[in-house]
Amino acid sequence: MDIIANLLARLRENIAEIYQPSPQTLERISLERPKNPEHGCLATNAAMILAKELKKNPREIAQEISRLLSSWDEIHNTDIAGPGFINVHMTNSFWHSVIHIILKEKNNYGKQPTHNKTINVEYISANPTGPLHVAHARGAVIGDVIANLFSWSGYQVSREFYVNDAGAQINIFAQSAFLRYKEALGINISIPDDHYPGEYLIDVGQELKETYSDSLLSLTEQDALQKVKDFALKSMIALIKKDLEDLGISQNFVYESTVINAPLKSYIDTLHKKKLIYDGYLEPPKGQVDPSWKSKKLRIFASTKFGDDVDRPLFKDDHTPTYFGNDLLYHAHKISRGYDQLINVLGADHGGYVKRLQAVVEALSDGRIPYPIIICQIVRLSKDGKPFVMSKRAGSFIRLSDLTQITGPDAIRFFMLTRKADAHIDFNIDIVTQQTQDNPVFYVQYAHARCCSILRLAKEHYGEESISPEQLLHADLSSLSHHAEKNIIRRIALFPNIVNASTLHIEPHRIAFYSRELAADFHSLWNLGNSQHELRFINQENVPHTMARLALVFSVRQTLANSLHILGISPLSSL
């Protein structure tokens, strides 16, 4: 249950009855925790939002709404700030109800009821020409946590990895693996500049030798390369799945080689009827133009009608689909599966794809299916003050599996969410392997572990049944009056709202930020207890007060655990 959302809904309902504003205006009214706690428990912009439509002075409206709010049992008082913001001071019993909700809902605190809406979240979708590297980790984590968020918000979520197992790069990959196979057989090789020289293919070559001995050499080059391609792709995809599994990620793999066998003509006919396909000529490519370049008549999708920079050809000169043509097929394949929404998480080097892909989905779905695309900026990896340089072709990249072994999956997952997706991130291995407050995942997990330690000690003193959630529901919470305790209660009350906002805006970093703030609140209270005896969590001289504190500790632990669950991180009970 989200008590703040319930208050906001009630406020909007009352405002709708009194002022009858437009639905758009009503939707913009908010009820949020102010940055400065001295300004109140909550604050609303209702008067400011209504003033423009009603053409009234916002302070006059604020006075009317303040009188309304002051009549509610949950509200202690209100005051008006600035041009018309309303600060709301809630009663202690209102905040104490949050603890009761958590004690009842436990693992479900912050969740929304399941509904029939479906969503497809595509992320990573790396070419299977090599192992995953550190740059893939950010999209992997962001995509996975986005999927978790929508699952918590009641959606039926499909997690998808699109495997580009067709095309020119895959053929080059097969040729590179074939050379490593020959090398494993003792044949001297020379790797062309446009091939994959990575050492990971040495292992593939050795596996090919162990499987086929030298029998591939007696086949035609075409037949040999087909076997090598099938074998190498299977090996690389298995490696990718293992790396993702170690990071706590499991997805549905959809293969380009299967999708491109679907008939493109039916989709072209559909778009042609909508006058979105035409036969025409494209402008010369930007920059230095090859003197031999000639404009040829092509079948073109009118993506500029949907905000794209240029229209996109669907076929090459040889009448095979372009990359964009295959992208159209893949997205048509997604749409045909009946999702209510699609989300894609792409790397920074794919920023130019956003408008064209969104144009395809809008055209094929008649604008029915929302398709936000999240761009993840670059990860700069450093250790011992030195940067790592990654290049899949050069074979000098840092493998995700290597990083996972060094730092563990929890550190990777949390650290990738310490900044918004569209901001560059510095991943300092030295920091994430230290058990200090500078390491954000340790800081949060330590708060959870401290909660567990308190509850274990309480169990020894009072017995397991006495500190069960069911028994703690009967605790007298009126003694939770210190500002540090109140601050924590208000923070945990925000959790469902944070989950909703993170889902609505597709910003998973908000959960990481929130969990660190809650951890900081709890560590502060813990430190106060070290110097002030009356703030210690367990005081055998005052059992009623202790039980109230234990109810608070349980609520913090549960909220941290639920936050970490969304992030895909282990809520450790000890460190």
Side-chain angles (χ1 to χ4, degrees):
M1 181 188 297
D2 186 344
I3 61 171
I4 296 176
N6 290 345
L7 274 180
L8 176 58
R10 183 177 167 191
L11 174 61
R12 287 175 175 174
E13 183 180 340
N14 281 202
I15 286 174
E17 293 174 358
I18 297 169
Y19 299 103
Q20 299 173 349
S22 67
Q24 293 79 12
T25 296
L26 203 61
E27 187 67 26
R28 292 171 57 205
I29 293 173
S30 64
L31 185 64
E32 299 175 340
R33 185 179 184 182
K35 292 182 180 179
N36 187 342
E38 294 180 1
H39 293 165
C41 304
L42 299 169
T44 179
N45 61 354
M48 305 291 293
I49 296 298
L50 289 168
K52 185 175 181 180
E53 182 174 328
L54 300 179
K55 297 180 180 180
K56 292 177 64 175
N57 186 305
R59 283 193 70 89
E60 180 183 338
I61 300 172
Q63 289 170 354
E64 295 170 355
I65 296 176
S66 290
R67 285 194 290 271
L68 166 69
L69 292 173
S70 297
S71 68
W72 293 6
D73 292 339
E74 305 95 328
I75 295 175
H76 184 262
N77 59 48
T78 64
D79 59 75
I80 301 171
F85 289 103
I86 305 170
N87 295 325
V88 183
H89 303 265
M90 310 303 298
T91 63
N92 288 338
S93 61
F94 171 81
W95 294 116
H96 294 160
S97 69
V98 176
I99 293 179
H100 291 152
I101 290 169
I102 298 172
L103 290 169
K104 292 175 183 177
E105 296 187 353
K106 304 181 186 71
N107 293 336
N108 291 320
Y109 180 56
K111 284 186 177 181
Q112 294 294 318
T114 301
H115 49 67
N116 293 325
K117 288 189 177 181
T118 58
I119 189 166
N120 177 289
V121 184
E122 181 198 346
Y123 49 108
I124 314 169
S125 295
N127 288 334
T129 53
L132 296 179
H133 54 66
V134 172
H136 293 129
R138 194 171 191 197
V141 171
I142 288 174
D144 201 51
V145 177
I146 288 172
N148 288 345
L149 277 169
F150 275 88
S151 180
W152 268 68
S153 295
Y155 283 77
Q156 298 177 45
V157 180
S158 174
R159 305 160 191 259
E160 189 148 306
F161 186 122
Y162 184 51
V163 183
N164 299 110
D165 62 335
Q169 291 303 311
I170 296 300
N171 292 332
I172 293 174
F173 171 66
Q175 292 163 9
S176 304
F178 192 39
L179 287 173
R180 292 298 190 181
Y181 164 67
K182 291 179 178 180
E183 182 181 47
L185 291 172
I187 301 172
N188 291 326
I189 64 168
S190 176
I191 301 176
D193 291 340
D194 64 343
H195 281 43
Y196 292 94
E199 292 186 1
Y200 57 88
L201 284 176
I202 294 175
D203 294 336
V204 175
Q206 187 63 38
E207 292 169 3
L208 281 163
K209 173 190 171 183
E210 293 171 359
T211 302
Y212 293 105
S213 186
D214 62 354
S215 63
L216 296 181
L217 299 179
S218 62
L219 301 177
T220 65
E221 184 176 358
Q222 181 178 355
D223 289 344
L225 283 174
Q226 185 61 51
K227 286 186 176 294
V228 169
K229 179 165 68 174
D230 292 344
F231 185 95
L233 280 174
K234 184 177 180 181
S235 174
M236 208 51 56
I237 290 168
L239 191 61
I240 289 171
K241 288 183 176 180
K242 176 64 167 58
D243 288 350
L244 292 176
E245 181 182 322
D246 290 343
L247 197 57
I249 295 173
S250 177
Q251 292 168 277
N252 177 39
F253 277 55
V254 175
Y255 295 85
E256 180 184 5
S257 57
T258 301
V259 172
I260 62 175
N261 289 329
L264 184 56
K265 183 179 181 303
S266 62
Y267 300 112
I268 290 177
D269 288 344
T270 298
L271 295 173
H272 195 273
K273 290 176 182 177
K274 297 177 181 179
K275 298 182 179 180
L276 297 174
I277 297 285
Y278 66 93
D279 294 327
Y281 299 86
L282 294 177
E283 295 292 325
K286 295 179 181 179
Q288 187 173 1
V289 180
D290 187 337
S292 64
W293 184 87
K294 292 181 180 180
S295 181
K296 296 183 180 180
K297 196 172 187 179
L298 300 169
R299 182 144 289 190
I300 299 171
F301 171 62
S303 55
T304 53
K305 291 187 176 182
F306 302 92
D308 197 2
D309 300 329
V310 296
D311 290 344
R312 306 287 175 180
L314 294 169
F315 295 96
K316 303 174 187 175
D317 295 344
D318 60 2
H319 304 295
T320 60
T322 60
Y323 284 121
F324 177 73
N326 282 340
D327 283 338
L328 187 148
L329 265 176
Y330 172 47
H331 286 79
H333 185 267
K334 281 187 182 181
I335 291 169
S336 70
R337 287 181 260 158
Y339 296 111
D340 295 298
Q341 183 172 342
L342 305 176
I343 293 177
N344 200 347
V345 180
L346 297 175
D349 55 337
H350 287 79
Y353 286 70
V354 173
K355 289 183 179 178
R356 70 187 74 171
L357 295 180
Q358 289 177 331
V360 164
V361 172
E362 185 173 352
L364 289 172
S365 71
D366 294 321
R368 178 183 62 84
I369 300 177
Y371 188 33
I373 296 178
I374 311 301
I375 298 295
C376 299
Q377 283 300 332
I378 295 170
V379 177
R380 292 182 289 243
L381 187 67
S382 64
K383 189 178 189 304
D384 300 325
K386 298 177 182 178
F388 284 107
V389 178
M390 295 177 293
S391 169
K392 184 179 283 192
R393 281 194 173 278
S396 60
F397 60 85
I398 304 302
R399 289 177 58 169
L400 174 58
S401 58
D402 293 335
L403 184 63
T404 304
Q405 288 180 4
I406 294 170
T407 68
D410 289 347
I412 295 174
R413 293 186 70 104
F414 199 102
F415 216 90
M416 291 301 175
L417 293 166
T418 52
R419 301 198 70 187
K420 292 181 65 174
D422 61 2
H424 290 77
I425 193 167
D426 294 306
F427 191 103
N428 189 321
I429 294 177
D430 300 314
I431 289 178
V432 301
T433 52
Q434 295 175 357
Q435 291 193 341
T436 69
Q437 67 177 19
D438 293 329
N439 179 353
V441 68
F442 170 80
Y443 191 65
V444 175
Q445 288 180 318
Y446 190 30
H448 184 273
R450 275 181 159 175
C451 291
C452 293
S453 175
I454 293 166
L455 294 172
R456 279 197 299 270
L457 183 60
K459 188 187 300 182
E460 294 176 8
H461 286 303
Y462 305 107
E464 184 171 355
E465 186 176 337
S466 297
I467 64 163
S468 68
E470 293 73 22
Q471 284 299 114
L472 292 176
L473 276 169
H474 302 295
D476 179 4
L477 304 179
S478 61
S479 61
L480 299 175
S481 57
H482 192 274
H483 70 86
E485 295 168 326
K486 291 181 178 180
N487 192 48
I488 288 178
I489 296 172
R490 293 170 188 177
R491 183 82 67 188
I492 60 179
L494 287 175
F495 178 62
N497 183 266
I498 294 292
V499 173
N500 290 336
S502 301
T503 307
L504 177 65
H505 298 288
I506 317 179
E507 293 183 341
H509 69 277
R510 294 190 185 204
I511 302 296
F513 286 17
Y514 170 83
S515 62
R516 191 167 185 181
E517 290 167 351
L518 177 55
D521 291 340
F522 185 74
H523 287 310
S524 295
L525 181 58
W526 174 286
N527 292 331
L528 284 173
N530 289 333
S531 58
Q532 301 179 43
H533 183 271
E534 68 275 10
L535 289 177
R536 291 180 182 176
F537 296 105
I538 297 178
N539 181 356
Q540 295 189 61
E541 298 172 2
N542 191 337
V543 175
H545 195 176
T546 296
M547 291 303 160
R549 291 277 172 77
L550 293 177
L552 177 62
V553 171
F554 181 94
S555 300
V556 172
R557 184 184 70 169
Q558 188 66 66
T559 306
L560 284 172
N562 291 1
S563 300
L564 291 170
H565 180 80
I566 293 173
L567 297 174
I569 293 172
S570 307
L572 302 182
S573 58
S574 61
L575 289 170

